[in-house]
Amino acid sequence: MSEATTSGLSKTYDPKQVESKRYEWWNEKGFFTADVKSGGKPFSIVMPPPNVTGSLHLGHAMDNTLQDILSRFKRMQGYNVLWVPGTDHAGIATQAKVEEALAKEGVSKYDLGREAFLERVWDWKHQYGTRITTQLRTLGSSCDWTRERFTMDEGCSEAVQEVFIRLYEKGLIYRGNRIINWCPKCQTTISDIEVEHEERGGHLWHIRYPVQDGDSEVVVATTRPETMLGDTAVAVHPDDDRYKHLIGKMVMLPILNRAIPVIADAYVDPAFGTGVVKITPAHDPNDFEVGLRHNLPQITVMTKEAVMNEEAGPYAGLDRYECRKRIVKDLEAQGYLVKVNDHVHAVGQCYRCDTVVEPMVSPQWFVRMKPLAEPAMEVVKDGRLKFVPERFTKIYLGWLENIRDWCISRQLWWGHRIPVWYCDDCDYIYCGRAEELPEVCPKCGASHFEQDPDVLDTWFSSGLWPFSTLGWPEKTPELAKYYPTSVLVTGRDIIFFWVARMVFMGLEFMGDVPFREVFIHGLILDAQGRKMSKSLGNGVDPIEIIDQYGADTLRFMLVTGNTPGNDIRFHFERLEGIRNFANKIWNASRFVLMNLEGFEIHQPWGELTLADRWILSRYNRLIGETTTALEQYDLGEAARLIYEFLWNEYCDWYIELAKPRLYGKEVGVADAAASRQTAQKVLTHVLRGTLQLLHPFMPFLTEEIWQQLPHHGESIMVAPWPEAEPERINSSTEEEMALVMDVIRAIRNIRAEMNVAPGKRAEVILVCGNEEHRRILARGAAYIINLASASEVEIEGTGYGQPEGAATAIVGDTAIYLPLKGLIDLTKEIDRLTKELRAVEDEVRRLGSKLNNAGFVAKAPAEVVAKEREKEGEALRKKAALEERLRTLTSLGT
């Protein structure tokens, strides 16, 4: 327990002086570390592991801030909290980064060889993995660093191997020669969801295919004429009367002059193009399926570098796009090109390097998805797994309903090596642990085995993250206590990549969902609403923001205005506003601390004033509303509630109302000392509790202040979450105070409009027909005198006439009169307002002339015209207000 001190806070809040020392102290004290043996209801989160490819971006900062808020909130509620941190090896992305670095040295991975290259990648991982965890600490992430994991650490690697072997033995993993997405630049396969589709302008070429042994022809339309060299059929719809007579006949493939059949398949859309499509099974996923149905050959006409191969005949050796130009030119020269139409279509690109992917038939490893997808859909349908917001359920289910088998092999060196060995002398395949590899082939007796050179898709290992990080396949105490985890916090952009895979893997290997709820947040956009990216140069480094504004300011900015599932725009101006909020809390806390002389934390509650009862009611209402918002994952609303309460009600109102009592200047009080102690009690009680509500959002600032306030316990981080006292919530008290505050605001507005000097006290006359309201205003008269600079407050009934020469305002059923005689220099004020009125009248005339100009209204953009009309409306309102003020002042002089 700490007693009050004179303010131990510096005059200004300097985040750099506070944040690093506080974080290290929390960590050293073990506040972040979960105790699997202790009691308390478990609350667990696994951190979406950042890729070890560089630094954190604002998206990571928001994601981890949201997780930290939930973890700190639940820790204060008494839960046994485990937040598991970690990083992802990010196969393609990391290997590409290291290869880029090697290229600058004039070296390739092949020059080094696989082992030496992997040593370089591990070096990269240690460098950047450390940078990322340092950044997470800088942000204030209260994760359990004693349980930090990496997707390729020993335990996770063992889990990956175990999962592959079990799925293989169950027949859910198979090797097949199927169509895949090939990235010519990354030189690897990528899965369907790693292909990003972009609408691009292109062409639709209509090509004539002559019918063999006849004088007729069919015309096909294609967006990729270079792939026609691999055509093995043309297809029509079986019910298309235009072409029924051709089904079963042969047509001649232009240029290569190869005979290919006309087949009938329901896949063909008779309304698209000519209703005849070319079938290229080796270079189109839909054509591949058609080819399987009709037992068509697969002719690959490109290399893995997207260069035409020997099957391309005269075009061998050409880049795919150069081949396109040449083949179109040749088709036209030979009379096969009928016409060319402009055509916009979706082009698939590699999500890592933006290279246009090439569908290709290739022997790869696949996971059979239907048996895994069905239970993953069922747990969402029956409510065992919930999405917040609920609308993302539809996206999740839609993807799983239409899922294809997952290609999991990647032609990379960095990643989890596929645990499969091939006999060099026969077709025997061994899938299992390296230490159990047979010395001789059980099929042919040979002793030469080669391990599959490929590695697994990064998402294969990250799909196991909720249970591999807790020790699976071992039966650990952590798995027993913390699995399923409580909630997954992640962005809307990786529902397919990651969320669905964790769900079906968790169900398959743990028999339960990996988390009970999925809290989806949006993306961080720039001020113009664009996604932040390197190419646009609009990215913002969170560490630079922290250096300038502090971690608390960044965290609060990323949360306020953020509703679940929606994107958030980043505005630098908002950082300034939140820094001002932090400074306001700091200054208010310094004021309280400097006025706690003689205060004891255990002293009883004294007699409470209207202001005391009001702030305690508002504070207890805040506890309930904030707690509810946090439990519903509406973190932005919780932050807004705390902000509004601290800034407006506590700082701007209650502290000001308490000042006369603290200074011993309260009027009409029998025991000024007791009143002062009560004000101290209320000030500290409400400030301490509100700081505890704010702590999950702004942990550093709140800890620093809380340590100086009278308190129990070692840290705000492990202080109990405030619990509302329902008996202190009083709507009548809040309504009473609201009336007094509205009257004070109205008087302040009159004084500002009439330019009354701040130091001049004025008589205030309140006329009200409601007897209860008159009693309330009488009880609040001292507040009005103090906060509205009133010399006296006279309260009258409705029979009271309007005083001569008084400025007026109305609040509900109360008329407010402020006699102005003697308060202002009438001549100067009338002169000032007259000049201001003339300037406004000039502006009204100018805007009216502009808006009455038909040419301007017709030619100017609609938003410009709307803005000018808005300006005109504002000028007219200002003109009317000035005229009213002048009338009032002129009446005083007559």
Side-chain angles (χ1 to χ4, degrees), residues 722-756:
E723 288 189 20
E725 299 174 87
E727 66 276 10
R728 291 210 183 273
I729 300 175
N730 190 310
S731 297
S732 297
T733 297
E734 292 181 27
E735 288 167 11
E736 279 188 38
M737 198 66 202
L739 174 59
V740 174
M741 289 160 69
D742 285 344
V743 167
I744 291 169
R745 285 192 196 97
I747 297 167
R748 286 173 171 174
N749 287 341
I750 293 172
R751 292 177 64 96
E753 286 173 3
M754 294 301 172
N755 208 24
V756 177

Side-chain angles (χ1 to χ4, degrees), residues 337-359:
L337 189 62
V338 178
K339 64 177 177 176
V340 183
N341 293 340
D342 290 337
H343 181 64
V344 175
H345 62 126
V347 176
Q349 300 172 175
C350 173
Y351 79 120
R352 284 295 178 194
C353 69
D354 297 331
T355 302
V356 174
V357 298
E358 194 60 52

Side-chain angles (χ1 to χ4, degrees), residues 526-541:
D526 69 9
Q528 297 175 45
R530 302 174 302 174
K531 186 176 178 180
M532 291 187 176
S533 70
K534 288 179 183 175
S535 59
L536 288 174
N538 61 347
V540 178
D541 184 345

